[in-house]
């Protein structure tokens, strides 16, 4: 199911995905898709800021310093 939200929400989610993937060195399309799906799920659960989304991603996958790549 495609995410449907306001343009601002879509921009926020894209920014969260882009920043996390860049920080972790994620370039593979399948890995980016996984991060995108997690960000969408986190948003649905109430994570509505970049920091909330980042914290959720780091809790689920790990922080860049944890060797994620």
């Amino acid at each position: 199911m495609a995410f449907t939200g306001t343009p601002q929400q879509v921009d926020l989610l894209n920014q969260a995905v882009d920043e996390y993937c860049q920080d972790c060195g994620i370039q593979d399309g399948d890995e980016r898709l996984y991060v995108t799906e997690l960000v969408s799920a986190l948003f649905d659960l109430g994570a509505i800021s970049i920091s909330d989304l980042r914290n959720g991603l780091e809790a689920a996958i790990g922080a860049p310093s944890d060797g994620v790549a």
Side-chain angles (χ1 to χ4, degrees):
M1 180 177 193
F3 175 79
T4 55
T6 67
Q8 294 84 6
Q9 290 171 327
V10 173
D11 288 345
L12 177 81
L13 300 184
N14 283 332
Q15 180 183 351
V17 170
D18 290 344
E19 287 180 8
Y20 186 80
C21 288
Q22 180 178 356
D23 291 349
C24 293
I26 296 172
Q27 297 178 351
D28 179 73
D30 290 335
E31 291 176 9
R32 282 187 63 87
L33 179 59
Y34 180 68
V35 172
T36 301
E37 291 170 351
L38 281 175
V39 165
S40 180
L42 290 165
F43 186 83
D44 288 343
L45 291 170
I48 59 170
S49 70
I50 289 292
S51 62
D52 289 343
L53 293 167
R54 180 61 178 241
N55 290 337
L57 285 169
E58 290 180 359
I61 303 174
S65 61
D66 290 343
V68 175

